[in-house]
Amino acid sequence: MTQPMPSTAHTSALAPAFLDEIHAFLDTAFEGRFDAHDWDHTLGGVHAWVSDGSGLLAHGSVIQRRAVHAGRSLRVGYVEGVAVRAGHRRRGLGGRIMAALEEVVDGAYAFGALAASAGAVPLYTGRGWTAWPGRIAVQGPEGVVRLPHEEGSTYVRGTGGAPLPATGEPGSDLLVFDWRDGDVM
C-alpha cells in the first residue's frame, strides 16, 4: 500500500484545533512522557505530518536554534517531535517525515541537529546523521554549562547530508547550544 506524502506548514499557519491534535498525538506516541516544555520546543518552525482518514500517522518539526561552533554563532535546524503512530511504524513514514524536514534544514540552516533516543538511532544514521563526536554544552543563565549526558545522543547533519566540517580550530569539538526551559537538548 502506498503511504501518503508529508504535508508541511509553519506553526503560524496551523489551526489551533490541529495543533491540539498534534499535541495529543505526540503525547500518545511518547507514552505520556511529552511534557509542556517538549511541546513548546516543537513549536515555532516547520511541521511535517502524514495523516489519513483515521488521523495523524506521523509528525516531526524543525525549529531554529543557535549554536556556537569554532567561534561562530550558527543557525541550526533542530528536529523535534518526530513520532509515528504505533501500528504504522517500520513502513517508511519516519523516513518521509525526515526527508521533508531535511529539505527545510538544507534550505535554511547551517546544519541540522537532534537528540536521538536509542530506538530512533537507526532511522537517523540511515539518513546520514552522525553522532556529534565532541563535547556538548549550552549557554545558560550561569554561563556555559557542559552536558556530558547529551554526548553520544546528539546527532548532526550538514546541509545536503554532508557531515559537519572539521575546522581544526581550537574548540571545534565543542557545540554550545542556546538555553531553553525543560530539557535543553
Side-chain angles (χ1 to χ4, degrees):
M1 174 169 98
T2 302
Q3 296 283 353
M5 294 305 293
S7 298
T8 59
H10 190 275
T11 299
S12 65
L14 300 177
F18 187 54
L19 288 170
D20 289 344
E21 182 181 348
I22 293 170
H23 190 181
F25 170 80
L26 292 171
D27 191 54
T28 298
F30 287 100
E31 300 174 342
R33 294 184 314 269
F34 195 80
D35 68 21
H37 294 297
D38 297 324
W39 176 238
D40 185 59
H41 298 167
T42 304
L43 302 174
V46 176
H47 297 259
W49 70 92
V50 173
S51 58
D52 67 8
S54 68
L56 283 167
L57 302 177
H59 172 272
S61 68
V62 60
I63 56 102
Q64 180 174 302
R65 292 190 72 181
R66 299 296 292 194
V68 175
H69 177 251
R72 295 185 56 216
S73 176
L74 303 168
R75 278 189 336 275
V76 179
Y78 202 85
V79 175
E80 294 282 1
V82 176
V84 176
R85 187 195 303 171
H88 292 270
R89 295 177 182 146
R90 308 280 186 257
R91 297 181 186 176
L93 289 172
R96 289 186 179 140
I97 293 296
M98 288 303 298
L101 300 177
E102 290 161 358
E103 188 174 317
V104 174
V105 168
D106 290 350
Y109 298 103
F111 67 96
L114 57 83
S117 65
V121 167
L123 168 65
Y124 303 131
T125 58
R127 301 191 58 76
W129 292 75
T130 58
W132 177 250
R135 298 170 295 150
I136 299 290
V138 293
Q139 177 65 48
E142 304 297 320
V144 175
V145 177
R146 179 119 177 260
L147 301 174
H149 60 280
E150 297 293 347
E151 294 166 4
S153 64
T154 300
Y155 283 71
V156 295
R157 177 184 181 276
T159 56
L164 279 180
T167 66
E169 295 178 31
S172 67
D173 73 325
L174 175 65
L175 278 178
V176 181
F177 286 89
D178 55 348
W179 180 264
R180 60 187 186 173
D181 291 333
D183 289 333
V184 291
M185 297 302 292

